[in-house]
Amino acid sequence: MPDALPGLFLGQSDAAQPENLLFNRANRHGVVAGATGTGKTVTLQIMAQGFSDAGVPVFCADVKGDLSGISQVGAPNEKLIARAAEMGLTLTPRAAPTVFWDLYGQKGHPIRTTVSEIGPVLMARMLNLNEVQEGVLTVVFHVADKEGLLLLDLDDLRSLLVYVGENAERIGREVGNVAPASIAAIQRALLQVEQQGGDAFFGEPVLKLEDMIRVGLDGRGQVNVLDSTRLMNSPRLYAAFLLWLLSELFEQLPEVGDPEKPRLVFFFDEAHLLFNDAPRALLEKVEQVVRLIRSKGVGVYFVTQNPADIPDSVLAQLGNRIQHALRAYTPSEQKGLRAASQSFRANAAFDTAEAIQALGVGEALVSVLDEKGAPTIVARTKIRPPASRLGPATDTERAAVMAASPVRGLYEQVLNRESAAEILANRHSAADQAEVQAKAQAEADKAAAAQAKADQKAAEARAKAQAQAEARAAREAARPARRSTRETPVEALTKSVLRTAGSTLTRELMRGLLGGLKRR
């Protein structure tokens, strides 16, 4: 029976052979490719539930919303039951232990991280900055580290951008020129991310990886489903988030080598969004993480329409390959088809390129790694039907799953501790208060100086008046006294008596004299 075979049962080949993805080779990564509507999501669903049943936690993004059905018990129709019977598979409807996540906190538990954790490279990618602007953003992060300013959310980053702009001359002498135009461009990009709801991704509490890497008491791994129906409207934010999560897994998980089964399997849906217009530095980081994270026990599976969407340096590290149908109408599509067919180990029974175009819905070309780590010969395979529901969960069902979630209540409440925005605001407040006090002191000093000057002038005026009065008194004292021209009564009587006596005497003398003259 396929169920008893080692590894994850993917389906049955045309040669009636089971195609199994070995668990001890699952950390060698893989790719699931195919055009829209060919069954990639169902393949992702059966792989996620298969790993979960084996006790391996899974993380996957639900781009269209239909992957949420993995949380519900399946109701297979006659066609699915018949396909299972053809494969000798006993199809037991069963839901996977699911935890829903959502960056916006609407259709799942919110996921947050800090601006500092994202770092300047991923933040520049998210903001779509050019090389010069990314350099300025790196300077901003450097200033934050140097001055001990925590960058937790976008408010912190915005406040620090203003601070760097105000101190551009001083900072520029230390780390290079900081152009005001670049600061303004980053601020505009931040505004755009906020308008798209990206500010909900930054803050605390920060996601703990152990809340994703859980195994239940029944031995099944937790299936973490990220609702990305809204997030896909911000493709750069989506790609930056998934790469951040992958980087966190790489940095925090210990080395385990090649375990019997992965510690976590990570499905990166719409993988082309990660690589479109990505700078060389980012591509090198992705290549490094994919190459080294294998030893951490993490398997990474890229889900995309065409393997050509993935750079060759990354594609070469993907050992397990599942290729659904491709349509090739244009020269570029034909080139992608040839590249996809040439990436498989050829099967003499059919032409790989022609088989890819002839695949029906629910069929795929499968090549996985064998016990020796070599790729198996490509086989045309009918993918097994899932045990969980085909189609999305309803809002009521989703709410019930979230209510029973093991992480319920851990991330819903936002924390806002003191960080760069508050520290810089306090600095500005203190500076403003000091400026007000200095201005008030200056006004007081000016008023005191004016009063002192007025008092001095008044004192000088009083001194001058006193000096003038003293000088006048001195002059008056030095001048000789004048007799009065007014006669006192005694003086007038004396003067009258003397005048009368004089007149009488004169008259008598004259009479005597004249009389004598007459007698002669």
Side-chain angles (χ1 to χ4, degrees):
M1 293 292 292
D3 304 73
L5 294 175
L8 193 160
F9 178 59
L10 296 172
Q12 191 175 63
S13 69
D14 286 349
Q17 295 297 316
E19 293 296 325
N20 295 283
L21 195 163
L22 300 180
F23 290 125
N24 61 352
R25 294 290 180 261
N27 66 330
R28 301 299 178 91
H29 314 314
V31 58
V32 179
T36 301
T38 57
K40 294 194 305 296
T41 301
V42 176
T43 299
L44 193 161
Q45 183 172 337
I46 66 107
M47 291 179 69
Q49 190 161 7
F51 279 119
S52 173
D53 290 342
V56 179
V58 174
F59 177 88
C60 50
D62 186 9
V63 174
K64 295 178 291 186
D66 48 1
L67 190 57
S68 60
I70 196 173
S71 66
Q72 304 301 314
V73 176
N77 55 30
E78 293 182 359
K79 183 178 180 181
L80 295 179
I81 295 174
R83 171 171 285 201
E86 290 176 7
M87 301 176 181
L89 174 66
T90 302
L91 188 60
T92 304
R94 190 182 190 187
T98 307
V99 173
F100 290 111
W101 301 91
D102 182 5
L103 260 64
Y104 304 102
Q106 296 175 345
K107 294 186 176 182
H109 304 292
I111 295 180
R112 299 185 190 89
T113 188
T114 65
V115 173
S116 296
E117 289 290 337
I118 282 288
V121 175
L122 280 182
M123 182 62 73
R125 169 69 170 166
M126 188 183 302
L127 299 177
N128 195 24
L129 304 182
N130 60 33
E131 185 176 353
V132 175
Q133 294 161 356
E134 181 179 347
V136 171
L137 188 62
T138 303
V139 170
V140 172
F141 276 77
H142 169 76
V143 172
D145 293 337
K146 184 178 180 181
E147 301 195 13
L149 299 173
L150 289 176
L151 295 178
L152 301 182
D153 52 29
L154 293 187
D155 287 339
D156 294 327
L157 182 56
R158 183 183 297 101
S159 298
L160 192 57
L161 284 167
V162 173
Y163 173 77
V164 171
E166 292 174 347
N167 298 272
E169 183 176 353
R170 173 181 62 82
I171 295 173
R173 289 195 298 268
E174 299 175 1
V175 295
N177 183 43
V178 179
S182 296
I183 294 288
I186 298 173
Q187 290 173 324
R188 289 192 298 269
L190 279 178
L191 179 61
Q192 185 176 3
V193 169
E194 281 186 322
Q195 290 175 342
Q196 295 173 350
D199 54 335
F201 175 47
F202 298 99
E204 292 182 319
V206 175
L207 174 69
K208 296 180 180 179
L209 293 182
E210 53 265 30
D211 287 331
M212 283 190 170
I213 309 176
R214 291 174 177 263
V215 178
L217 296 177
D218 59 357
R220 292 189 296 166
Q222 175 176 294
V223 177
N224 302 278
V225 177
L226 174 69
D227 184 87
S228 305
T229 52
R230 178 183 174 189
L231 185 59
M232 291 305 296
N233 295 326
S234 307
R236 290 184 180 276
L237 177 60
Y238 169 78
F241 162 72
L242 292 184
L243 184 55
W244 163 78
L245 185 56
L246 201 59
S247 300
E248 288 295 298
L249 292 168
F250 171 70
E251 293 174 2
Q252 295 188 27
L253 295 180
E255 296 278 346
V256 294
D258 283 324
E260 293 183 358
K261 60 184 179 182
R263 177 178 293 170
L264 175 74
V265 171
F266 189 102
F267 289 95
F268 201 133
D269 202 357
E270 300 294 340
H272 64 280
L273 297 176
L274 176 60
F275 304 107
N276 284 350
D277 302 322
R280 182 60 191 170
L282 184 61
L283 291 177
E284 291 175 353
K285 181 177 179 64
V286 175
E287 180 183 350
Q288 178 191 33
V289 170
V290 172
R291 183 175 67 253
L292 300 179
I293 203 172
R294 174 187 62 81
S295 62
K296 307 290 182 121
V298 177
V300 181
Y301 289 77
F302 293 95
V303 184
T304 186
Q305 293 194 10
N306 195 315
D309 298 332
I310 304 173
D312 290 341
S313 58
V314 176
L315 190 62
Q317 302 178 53
L318 310 182
N320 301 294
R321 304 193 177 195
I322 302 173
Q323 177 67 62
H324 287 272
L326 282 178
R327 309 290 180 248
Y329 302 111
T330 66
S332 61
E333 290 175 340
Q334 293 172 1
K335 182 179 178 181
L337 174 64
R338 287 193 297 272
S341 63
Q342 292 171 1
S343 66
F344 286 101
R345 184 177 173 184
N347 189 327
F350 57 83
D351 180 88
T352 305
E354 293 181 359
I356 291 177
Q357 297 183 79
L359 290 171
V361 176
E363 297 179 343
L365 296 186
V366 175
S367 176
V368 294
L369 298 179
D370 61 19
E371 285 288 356
K372 296 181 180 180
T376 60
I377 294 175
V378 62
R380 183 167 179 166
T381 305
K382 288 184 178 181
I383 301 299
R384 60 156 290 176
S388 53
R389 178 190 296 175
L390 276 176
T394 65
D395 292 341
T396 302
E397 292 169 337
R398 183 188 294 268
V401 171
M402 292 179 61
S405 170
V407 298
R408 178 187 177 189
L410 296 182
Y411 297 101
E412 277 70 18
Q413 186 64 39
V414 179
L415 301 179
N416 188 19
R417 60 189 175 113
E418 186 179 61
S419 52
E422 290 77 17
I423 293 173
L424 293 175
N426 291 337
R427 287 185 187 178
H428 279 293
S429 178
D432 292 342
Q433 185 176 0
E435 184 179 355
V436 171
Q437 292 177 347
K439 186 176 181 180
Q441 185 62 42
E443 293 291 337
D445 293 343
K446 184 177 179 181
Q451 184 62 41
K453 186 175 181 180
D455 293 343
Q456 183 179 2
K457 287 184 177 180
E460 290 175 352
R462 287 194 300 272
K464 183 177 180 181
Q466 183 177 359
Q468 290 176 347
E470 292 176 353
R472 189 165 52 251
R475 287 195 300 272
E476 289 293 336
R479 184 180 303 164
R482 293 185 298 177
R483 290 182 57 87
S484 176
T485 57
R486 294 173 62 101
E487 295 178 344
T488 64
V490 176
E491 289 177 337
L493 178 60
T494 304
K495 188 176 180 179
S496 176
V497 171
L498 291 176
R499 186 183 299 115
T500 303
S503 297
T504 303
L505 179 59
T506 301
R507 191 168 51 248
E508 290 295 329
L509 286 175
M510 287 300 295
R511 186 181 299 119
L513 182 56
L514 290 176
L517 289 176
K518 289 180 176 182
R519 288 184 193 107
R520 292 177 183 162

